[in-house]
Amino acid sequence: MSELIGKKILLGISGGIAAYKCAELTRRLKDQGADVRVVMTKVAKEFITPLTMQAVSGHVVADSLLDPTAEAGMGHIELAKWPDIILLAPATANLIARLRVGLGDELLTTLCLASPAPIAVAPAMNMEMYLAPSTQENISVLASRGMPIWGPGDGMQACGDIGPGRLLEIDELVQCVIKYFTPEKQLLEGVNLTITAGPTQESLDPVRYISNHSSGKMGFSLAEMAQKMGANVTLISGPVNLATPSKVQRVDVCSALEMHQACFDNLSHCDIFIACAAVADYRPAQIETQKMKKQQGIDDLIIKLIKNPDIIADVANAENSPFCVGFAAETQDVERYALDKLKRKNLKLIVANDVAKSGQGFNSEQNALTVFSDTERFDITLADKKAVAQQLLTIIAQQYLQSK
Ligand code: C5P
């Protein structure tokens, strides 16, 4: 009964008949130790009173953007920064549509825009409204942005119709929230996980290098989520501009050779190895000790490159090798190239990423992935890199446990 201790939940209620269940929902979230603040839309107040919600939550209900008294207390920007999660329940078709286009037409939608917190959506509406193509499209767009969609349930509706559109039962909603905060935690408990991330830099001389556009975001998101799922994480990173996730051990390297060495230094206690780094395939055969000068009269400069070691292939073929997961960033024929790499490098899983598609992959905030083992395929649809990381780690953890 204390799964949500210390969790701050902003319950956003929009105007549907299921709003009457929100008093019970608030009580049950508080029973689990959560602190719940309530924001209501104008129409929601026609279905349940702010006084009821104030009494059960223990906080004044926020319902206006332009209320000087409310702004003098916890103002809307402060309120946007407050929660660990925003739970929209019930989320009507109208609220979902406003969320999809990013309207800030009242306090609740403005908070959704202004808040860094994850937003979970519990749809509830008449079944025809739910099945309308526009609502379906709106919901799938929200899901693709990484928003968890909880429900709706199926069954008898307030209007007498029978079908999808009921707010999930209160018990189910509370379980969704609990599960959200303990994402398969036990799955990676005590597992030693090494992740490579970012680009490598291959020096030509003291001031120049060959590199690539990898931001390191995917590897860092994986490190953060793996630690939250209970793993002991070592993050071996090329040069990137990212903060080290909390409780993750970071080893900074520059070149592929340094990354190779760092990976082998950590190999003896590694259970799962995830190679997310965009390692340069080749490095200059020679690093000049002095800055290379422009040569008068020479328009073509030829630099000899030599092959770098394939880090993940070497790790996968080492004695007592860990469970190895590689990435395949491809611009065409993604599945074929990915499966070829899986085999050639002797990997357990390969994570394919179509970097030709705009809005995903290198340097973007979102990603969509397909994971292949030698017998199975798993699709992770376009979402925020952290949400994708969590889904990917769940697949990796399950496959790792099965392989033991
Ligand atoms: O062969 P390709 O570079 O496309 O393979 C990509 C996968 O191999 C990634 O997981 C990447 O981190 C890893 N890799 C590596 N060492 C290299 C090249 C790639 O670990 N030298």
Side-chain angles (χ1 to χ4, degrees):
M1 292 295 276
S2 50
E3 307 268 3
L4 295 173
I5 284 178
K7 292 289 179 251
K8 292 179 276 192
I9 300 173
L10 190 79
L11 176 61
I13 310 177
S14 58
I17 180 60
Y20 83 88
K21 299 178 178 173
C22 286
E24 180 64 13
L25 175 59
T26 303
R27 287 284 296 269
R28 301 286 296 284
L29 291 169
K30 283 180 61 106
D31 285 348
Q32 293 288 344
D35 189 4
V36 182
R37 286 180 180 266
V38 177
V39 176
M40 299 176 78
T41 65
K42 194 157 168 271
V43 186
K45 292 188 286 181
E46 303 290 332
F47 290 96
I48 186 164
T49 70
L51 191 60
T52 304
M53 294 313 301
Q54 175 177 324
V56 289
S57 69
H59 294 291
V60 175
V61 168
D63 56 9
S64 164
L65 247 184
L66 306 167
D67 177 351
T69 323
E71 288 298 301
M74 187 181 267
H76 71 277
I77 293 297
E78 219 179 318
L79 190 55
K81 290 189 179 138
W82 176 81
D84 295 312
I85 191 167
I86 297 178
L87 170 58
L88 302 176
T92 58
N94 183 295
L95 178 64
I96 288 169
R98 287 186 287 152
L99 220 56
R100 185 236 168 120
V101 290
L103 292 189
D105 54 348
E106 60 180 319
L107 179 64
L108 183 55
T109 46
T110 305
L111 288 172
C112 289
L113 283 176
S115 178
I119 301 172
V121 181
M125 64 201 74
N126 163 269
M127 63 177 272
E128 299 298 347
M129 291 172 84
Y130 174 69
L131 294 173
S134 50
T135 307
Q136 288 297 307
E137 192 191 314
N138 290 338
I139 290 176
S140 64
V141 169
L142 297 188
S144 74
R145 290 180 193 156
M147 293 186 195
I149 309 292
W150 293 335
D154 217 296
M156 175 66 85
Q157 302 209 293
C159 55
D161 284 350
I162 298 177
R166 283 172 60 87
L167 186 69
L168 280 190
E169 296 305 323
I170 299 306
D171 255 353
E172 292 174 305
L173 271 180
V174 173
Q175 282 311 312
C176 286
V177 178
I178 292 173
K179 197 151 178 254
Y180 185 83
F181 284 116
T182 45
E184 319 287 352
K185 187 162 175 55
Q186 60 286 20
L187 274 183
L188 287 172
E189 199 72 66
V191 173
N192 295 315
L193 204 144
T194 299
I195 300 173
T196 68
T200 64
Q201 283 180 359
E202 310 298 332
S203 293
L204 279 158
D205 68 15
V207 294
R208 302 187 183 91
Y209 55 80
I210 297 172
S211 191
N212 59 64
H213 292 296
S214 168
S215 65
K217 279 182 200 152
M218 192 66 223
F220 275 60
S221 298
L222 281 172
E224 180 184 338
M225 295 312 294
Q227 192 283 325
K228 288 196 174 136
M229 289 166 74
N232 308 313
V233 182
T234 304
L235 177 61
I236 300 176
S237 177
V240 292
N241 198 8
L242 296 170
T244 311
S246 157
K247 298 186 197 145
V248 164
Q249 194 203 330
R250 173 167 171 179
V251 180
D252 283 316
V253 295
C254 258
S255 67
L257 287 180
E258 285 171 19
M259 187 173 274
H260 190 273
Q261 182 64 48
C263 290
F264 275 82
D265 289 347
N266 277 280
L267 205 56
S268 59
H269 57 270
C270 174
D271 302 311
I272 300 178
F273 182 83
I274 305 177
C276 218
V279 183
D281 290 328
Y282 293 89
R283 66 179 184 278
Q286 191 177 331
I287 305 175
E288 301 297 335
T289 50
Q290 303 297 330
K291 184 181 167 197
M292 291 161 69
K293 303 303 286 179
K294 201 170 0 186
Q295 308 271 328
Q296 288 300 330
I298 298 187
D299 291 342
D300 299 334
L301 175 68
I302 295 171
I303 296 171
K304 185 175 174 196
L305 300 175
I306 53 172
K307 214 171 200 166
N308 269 325
D310 191 317
I311 301 172
I312 195 168
D314 286 356
V315 169
N317 289 301
E319 210 180 315
N320 296 326
S321 64
F323 184 94
C324 285
V325 183
F327 273 71
E330 305 293 348
T331 53
Q332 57 173 341
D333 246 342
V334 178
E335 178 165 352
R336 186 160 66 85
Y337 285 127
L339 287 172
D340 171 63
K341 250 167 234 181
L342 179 80
K343 227 181 179 153
R344 191 161 37 82
K345 300 193 183 209
N346 193 21
L347 310 179
K348 293 289 193 294
L349 293 175
I350 188 100
V351 184
N353 186 0
D354 190 340
V355 286
K357 288 194 182 144
S358 67
Q360 66 184 62
F362 282 157
N363 254 324
S364 102
E365 297 302 323
Q366 295 200 312
N367 216 348
L369 303 170
T370 308
V371 186
F372 299 95
S373 71
D374 54 2
T375 53
E376 281 180 281
R377 172 195 172 119
F378 311 87
D379 286 300
I380 302 175
T381 52
L382 189 67
D384 162 74
K385 279 188 175 167
K386 279 192 194 152
V388 168
Q390 191 177 322
Q391 291 180 61
L392 175 56
L393 286 163
T394 303
I395 295 167
I396 293 173
Q398 284 163 347
Q399 296 288 309
Y400 165 69
L401 292 172
Q402 276 173 28
S403 76
K404 292 216 304 174

mmCIF file of all heavy atoms in Angstrom, residues 196 256 259 273-281 308-313 325-330 341 344-345 347 350, ligand 1:
data_model
loop_
_atom_site.group_PDB
_atom_site.id
_atom_site.type_symbol
_atom_site.label_atom_id
_atom_site.label_comp_id
_atom_site.label_asym_id
_atom_site.label_seq_id
_atom_site.Cartn_x
_atom_site.Cartn_y
_atom_site.Cartn_z
ATOM 1 N N THR A 196 28.479 1.421 -25.003
ATOM 2 C CA THR A 196 29.333 2.399 -25.683
ATOM 3 C C THR A 196 28.413 3.434 -26.326
ATOM 4 O O THR A 196 27.304 3.097 -26.753
ATOM 5 C CB THR A 196 30.228 1.763 -26.766
ATOM 6 O OG1 THR A 196 29.393 1.294 -27.844
ATOM 7 C CG2 THR A 196 31.056 0.621 -26.219
ATOM 8 N N ALA A 256 38.743 5.143 -31.473
ATOM 9 C CA ALA A 256 38.236 3.765 -31.475
ATOM 10 C C ALA A 256 39.179 2.852 -30.698
ATOM 11 O O ALA A 256 38.731 1.956 -29.975
ATOM 12 C CB ALA A 256 38.095 3.279 -32.911
ATOM 13 N N MET A 259 38.514 3.322 -27.105
ATOM 14 C CA MET A 259 37.222 2.720 -26.740
ATOM 15 C C MET A 259 37.375 1.192 -26.648
ATOM 16 O O MET A 259 36.859 0.557 -25.727
ATOM 17 C CB MET A 259 36.156 3.102 -27.770
ATOM 18 C CG MET A 259 34.754 2.675 -27.377
ATOM 19 S SD MET A 259 33.507 3.312 -28.505
ATOM 20 C CE MET A 259 33.165 4.927 -27.827
ATOM 21 N N PHE A 273 26.512 -6.329 -23.045
ATOM 22 C CA PHE A 273 27.310 -5.298 -23.714
ATOM 23 C C PHE A 273 26.455 -4.704 -24.833
ATOM 24 O O PHE A 273 26.011 -5.436 -25.725
ATOM 25 C CB PHE A 273 28.583 -5.944 -24.280
ATOM 26 C CG PHE A 273 29.521 -4.975 -24.945
ATOM 27 C CD1 PHE A 273 30.429 -4.222 -24.207
ATOM 28 C CD2 PHE A 273 29.504 -4.807 -26.324
ATOM 29 C CE1 PHE A 273 31.301 -3.330 -24.815
ATOM 30 C CE2 PHE A 273 30.365 -3.910 -26.948
ATOM 31 C CZ PHE A 273 31.267 -3.176 -26.194
ATOM 32 N N ILE A 274 26.187 -3.399 -24.748
ATOM 33 C CA ILE A 274 25.377 -2.755 -25.786
ATOM 34 C C ILE A 274 26.258 -1.741 -26.518
ATOM 35 O O ILE A 274 26.732 -0.767 -25.917
ATOM 36 C CB ILE A 274 24.147 -2.038 -25.182
ATOM 37 C CG1 ILE A 274 23.319 -3.014 -24.338
ATOM 38 C CG2 ILE A 274 23.285 -1.416 -26.281
ATOM 39 C CD1 ILE A 274 22.124 -2.366 -23.646
ATOM 40 N N ALA A 275 26.472 -1.971 -27.805
ATOM 41 C CA ALA A 275 27.347 -1.078 -28.573
ATOM 42 C C ALA A 275 26.503 -0.070 -29.337
ATOM 43 O O ALA A 275 25.951 -0.370 -30.389
ATOM 44 C CB ALA A 275 28.215 -1.892 -29.523
ATOM 45 N N CYS A 276 26.404 1.092 -28.747
ATOM 46 C CA CYS A 276 25.585 2.152 -29.333
ATOM 47 C C CYS A 276 26.469 3.171 -30.051
ATOM 48 O O CYS A 276 25.983 4.034 -30.770
ATOM 49 C CB CYS A 276 24.877 2.832 -28.166
ATOM 50 S SG CYS A 276 23.233 3.298 -28.507
ATOM 51 N N ALA A 277 27.783 3.080 -29.811
ATOM 52 C CA ALA A 277 28.689 4.097 -30.351
ATOM 53 C C ALA A 277 28.777 4.014 -31.870
ATOM 54 O O ALA A 277 28.661 2.934 -32.457
ATOM 55 C CB ALA A 277 30.089 3.901 -29.755
ATOM 56 N N ALA A 278 28.956 5.178 -32.478
ATOM 57 C CA ALA A 278 29.217 5.245 -33.923
ATOM 58 C C ALA A 278 30.743 5.289 -34.075
ATOM 59 O O ALA A 278 31.350 6.364 -34.106
ATOM 60 C CB ALA A 278 28.569 6.485 -34.510
ATOM 61 N N VAL A 279 31.324 4.119 -34.096
ATOM 62 C CA VAL A 279 32.788 4.006 -34.119
ATOM 63 C C VAL A 279 33.283 4.254 -35.548
ATOM 64 O O VAL A 279 32.714 3.706 -36.499
ATOM 65 C CB VAL A 279 33.210 2.586 -33.672
ATOM 66 C CG1 VAL A 279 34.737 2.466 -33.625
ATOM 67 C CG2 VAL A 279 32.602 2.241 -32.326
ATOM 68 N N ALA A 280 34.330 5.055 -35.683
ATOM 69 C CA ALA A 280 34.893 5.273 -37.028
ATOM 70 C C ALA A 280 35.462 3.956 -37.547
ATOM 71 O O ALA A 280 36.187 3.262 -36.834
ATOM 72 C CB ALA A 280 35.998 6.321 -36.950
ATOM 73 N N ASP A 281 35.088 3.614 -38.768
ATOM 74 C CA ASP A 281 35.574 2.346 -39.329
ATOM 75 C C ASP A 281 37.079 2.404 -39.608
ATOM 76 O O ASP A 281 37.772 1.405 -39.514
ATOM 77 C CB ASP A 281 34.833 2.034 -40.637
ATOM 78 C CG ASP A 281 33.378 1.668 -40.360
ATOM 79 O OD1 ASP A 281 33.125 1.086 -39.283
ATOM 80 O OD2 ASP A 281 32.517 1.980 -41.202
ATOM 81 N N ASN A 308 39.927 0.322 -38.241
ATOM 82 C CA ASN A 308 39.866 0.217 -36.783
ATOM 83 C C ASN A 308 39.402 -1.182 -36.401
ATOM 84 O O ASN A 308 38.731 -1.854 -37.190
ATOM 85 C CB ASN A 308 38.857 1.242 -36.240
ATOM 86 C CG ASN A 308 39.524 2.554 -35.904
ATOM 87 O OD1 ASN A 308 40.667 2.574 -35.456
ATOM 88 N ND2 ASN A 308 38.810 3.647 -36.115
ATOM 89 N N PRO A 309 39.698 -1.610 -35.175
ATOM 90 C CA PRO A 309 39.148 -2.898 -34.749
ATOM 91 C C PRO A 309 37.632 -2.783 -34.629
ATOM 92 O O PRO A 309 37.113 -1.709 -34.333
ATOM 93 C CB PRO A 309 39.784 -3.120 -33.370
ATOM 94 C CG PRO A 309 40.202 -1.764 -32.912
ATOM 95 C CD PRO A 309 40.503 -0.966 -34.146
ATOM 96 N N ASP A 310 36.935 -3.881 -34.888
ATOM 97 C CA ASP A 310 35.484 -3.897 -34.684
ATOM 98 C C ASP A 310 35.257 -4.273 -33.217
ATOM 99 O O ASP A 310 35.433 -5.428 -32.823
ATOM 100 C CB ASP A 310 34.832 -4.914 -35.631
ATOM 101 C CG ASP A 310 33.325 -4.758 -35.633
ATOM 102 O OD1 ASP A 310 32.738 -4.588 -34.541
ATOM 103 O OD2 ASP A 310 32.722 -4.787 -36.717
ATOM 104 N N ILE A 311 34.908 -3.279 -32.418
ATOM 105 C CA ILE A 311 34.874 -3.464 -30.955
ATOM 106 C C ILE A 311 33.878 -4.549 -30.571
ATOM 107 O O ILE A 311 34.201 -5.493 -29.853
ATOM 108 C CB ILE A 311 34.548 -2.127 -30.250
ATOM 109 C CG1 ILE A 311 35.617 -1.086 -30.614
ATOM 110 C CG2 ILE A 311 34.477 -2.331 -28.737
ATOM 111 C CD1 ILE A 311 35.327 0.314 -30.158
ATOM 112 N N ILE A 312 32.637 -4.401 -31.065
ATOM 113 C CA ILE A 312 31.622 -5.356 -30.614
ATOM 114 C C ILE A 312 31.927 -6.774 -31.116
ATOM 115 O O ILE A 312 31.719 -7.752 -30.390
ATOM 116 C CB ILE A 312 30.187 -4.919 -30.980
ATOM 117 C CG1 ILE A 312 29.205 -5.756 -30.146
ATOM 118 C CG2 ILE A 312 29.914 -4.999 -32.455
ATOM 119 C CD1 ILE A 312 27.796 -5.270 -30.170
ATOM 120 N N ALA A 313 32.466 -6.883 -32.325
ATOM 121 C CA ALA A 313 32.795 -8.226 -32.834
ATOM 122 C C ALA A 313 33.883 -8.850 -31.971
ATOM 123 O O ALA A 313 33.820 -10.036 -31.633
ATOM 124 C CB ALA A 313 33.236 -8.133 -34.294
ATOM 125 N N VAL A 325 24.732 -6.815 -27.810
ATOM 126 C CA VAL A 325 23.670 -6.162 -28.579
ATOM 127 C C VAL A 325 24.301 -5.060 -29.424
ATOM 128 O O VAL A 325 24.935 -4.142 -28.887
ATOM 129 C CB VAL A 325 22.618 -5.533 -27.634
ATOM 130 C CG1 VAL A 325 21.476 -4.921 -28.436
ATOM 131 C CG2 VAL A 325 22.114 -6.551 -26.624
ATOM 132 N N GLY A 326 24.137 -5.155 -30.737
ATOM 133 C CA GLY A 326 24.704 -4.140 -31.620
ATOM 134 C C GLY A 326 23.623 -3.266 -32.230
ATOM 135 O O GLY A 326 22.431 -3.591 -32.177
ATOM 136 N N PHE A 327 24.037 -2.171 -32.809
ATOM 137 C CA PHE A 327 23.127 -1.280 -33.526
ATOM 138 C C PHE A 327 23.489 -1.293 -35.001
ATOM 139 O O PHE A 327 24.669 -1.416 -35.351
ATOM 140 C CB PHE A 327 23.242 0.157 -32.988
ATOM 141 C CG PHE A 327 22.356 0.418 -31.808
ATOM 142 C CD1 PHE A 327 22.641 -0.146 -30.578
ATOM 143 C CD2 PHE A 327 21.223 1.207 -31.935
ATOM 144 C CE1 PHE A 327 21.822 0.068 -29.485
ATOM 145 C CE2 PHE A 327 20.389 1.439 -30.850
ATOM 146 C CZ PHE A 327 20.693 0.864 -29.619
ATOM 147 N N ALA A 328 22.477 -1.149 -35.829
ATOM 148 C CA ALA A 328 22.732 -1.042 -37.258
ATOM 149 C C ALA A 328 21.999 0.188 -37.763
ATOM 150 O O ALA A 328 20.781 0.170 -37.913
ATOM 151 C CB ALA A 328 22.247 -2.293 -37.974
ATOM 152 N N ALA A 329 22.746 1.288 -37.935
ATOM 153 C CA ALA A 329 22.151 2.502 -38.498
ATOM 154 C C ALA A 329 22.259 2.372 -40.012
ATOM 155 O O ALA A 329 23.357 2.347 -40.549
ATOM 156 C CB ALA A 329 22.906 3.721 -37.999
ATOM 157 N N GLU A 330 21.113 2.271 -40.660
ATOM 158 C CA GLU A 330 21.135 2.047 -42.110
ATOM 159 C C GLU A 330 20.288 3.090 -42.821
ATOM 160 O O GLU A 330 19.389 3.686 -42.235
ATOM 161 C CB GLU A 330 20.568 0.654 -42.446
ATOM 162 C CG GLU A 330 21.257 -0.508 -41.731
ATOM 163 C CD GLU A 330 22.705 -0.727 -42.169
ATOM 164 O OE1 GLU A 330 23.122 -0.129 -43.183
ATOM 165 O OE2 GLU A 330 23.419 -1.473 -41.488
ATOM 166 N N LYS A 341 24.654 -8.206 -40.159
ATOM 167 C CA LYS A 341 25.560 -7.802 -39.063
ATOM 168 C C LYS A 341 25.401 -8.701 -37.848
ATOM 169 O O LYS A 341 26.375 -9.035 -37.173
ATOM 170 C CB LYS A 341 25.222 -6.356 -38.657
ATOM 171 C CG LYS A 341 26.293 -5.394 -39.056
ATOM 172 C CD LYS A 341 25.845 -3.967 -38.941
ATOM 173 C CE LYS A 341 26.075 -3.310 -40.284
ATOM 174 N NZ LYS A 341 25.697 -1.915 -40.300
ATOM 175 N N ARG A 344 27.351 -11.873 -38.804
ATOM 176 C CA ARG A 344 28.777 -11.653 -39.042
ATOM 177 C C ARG A 344 29.529 -11.316 -37.761
ATOM 178 O O ARG A 344 30.654 -11.744 -37.545
ATOM 179 C CB ARG A 344 28.930 -10.530 -40.076
ATOM 180 C CG ARG A 344 30.292 -10.328 -40.627
ATOM 181 C CD ARG A 344 30.270 -9.547 -41.935
ATOM 182 N NE ARG A 344 29.285 -8.492 -42.014
ATOM 183 C CZ ARG A 344 29.437 -7.267 -41.504
ATOM 184 N NH1 ARG A 344 30.546 -6.945 -40.877
ATOM 185 N NH2 ARG A 344 28.484 -6.349 -41.648
ATOM 186 N N LYS A 345 28.857 -10.533 -36.875
ATOM 187 C CA LYS A 345 29.549 -10.095 -35.650
ATOM 188 C C LYS A 345 29.270 -11.032 -34.478
ATOM 189 O O LYS A 345 29.693 -10.753 -33.357
ATOM 190 C CB LYS A 345 29.133 -8.661 -35.318
ATOM 191 C CG LYS A 345 29.458 -7.660 -36.412
ATOM 192 C CD LYS A 345 29.324 -6.220 -35.943
ATOM 193 C CE LYS A 345 29.577 -5.269 -37.098
ATOM 194 N NZ LYS A 345 30.121 -3.986 -36.661
ATOM 195 N N LEU A 347 26.374 -11.661 -32.811
ATOM 196 C CA LEU A 347 25.630 -10.950 -31.763
ATOM 197 C C LEU A 347 24.384 -11.723 -31.365
ATOM 198 O O LEU A 347 23.891 -12.565 -32.114
ATOM 199 C CB LEU A 347 25.212 -9.562 -32.266
ATOM 200 C CG LEU A 347 26.322 -8.711 -32.893
ATOM 201 C CD1 LEU A 347 25.770 -7.375 -33.365
ATOM 202 C CD2 LEU A 347 27.438 -8.487 -31.875
ATOM 203 N N ILE A 350 20.345 -7.450 -32.664
ATOM 204 C CA ILE A 350 20.775 -6.267 -33.409
ATOM 205 C C ILE A 350 19.603 -5.291 -33.452
ATOM 206 O O ILE A 350 18.455 -5.683 -33.645
ATOM 207 C CB ILE A 350 21.290 -6.617 -34.831
ATOM 208 C CG1 ILE A 350 21.908 -5.389 -35.505
ATOM 209 C CG2 ILE A 350 20.204 -7.198 -35.724
ATOM 210 C CD1 ILE A 350 23.391 -5.351 -35.443
HETATM 211 O O1 C5P B 1 29.499 -2.385 -39.034
HETATM 212 P P1 C5P B 1 28.774 -1.250 -38.432
HETATM 213 O O2 C5P B 1 29.662 -0.097 -38.033
HETATM 214 O O3 C5P B 1 27.583 -0.752 -39.182
HETATM 215 O O4 C5P B 1 28.173 -1.898 -37.085
HETATM 216 C C1 C5P B 1 27.494 -1.157 -36.161
HETATM 217 C C2 C5P B 1 27.573 -1.811 -34.803
HETATM 218 O O5 C5P B 1 28.914 -2.238 -34.530
HETATM 219 C C3 C5P B 1 27.271 -0.839 -33.707
HETATM 220 O O6 C5P B 1 26.730 -1.570 -32.630
HETATM 221 C C4 C5P B 1 28.617 -0.247 -33.382
HETATM 222 O O7 C5P B 1 28.644 0.329 -32.087
HETATM 223 C C5 C5P B 1 29.496 -1.445 -33.505
HETATM 224 N N1 C5P B 1 30.878 -1.155 -33.959
HETATM 225 C C6 C5P B 1 31.939 -1.383 -33.105
HETATM 226 N N2 C5P B 1 33.222 -1.154 -33.541
HETATM 227 C C7 C5P B 1 33.452 -0.719 -34.795
HETATM 228 C C8 C5P B 1 32.389 -0.484 -35.662
HETATM 229 C C9 C5P B 1 31.119 -0.705 -35.215
HETATM 230 O O8 C5P B 1 31.717 -1.768 -31.943
HETATM 231 N N3 C5P B 1 34.688 -0.511 -35.186
#
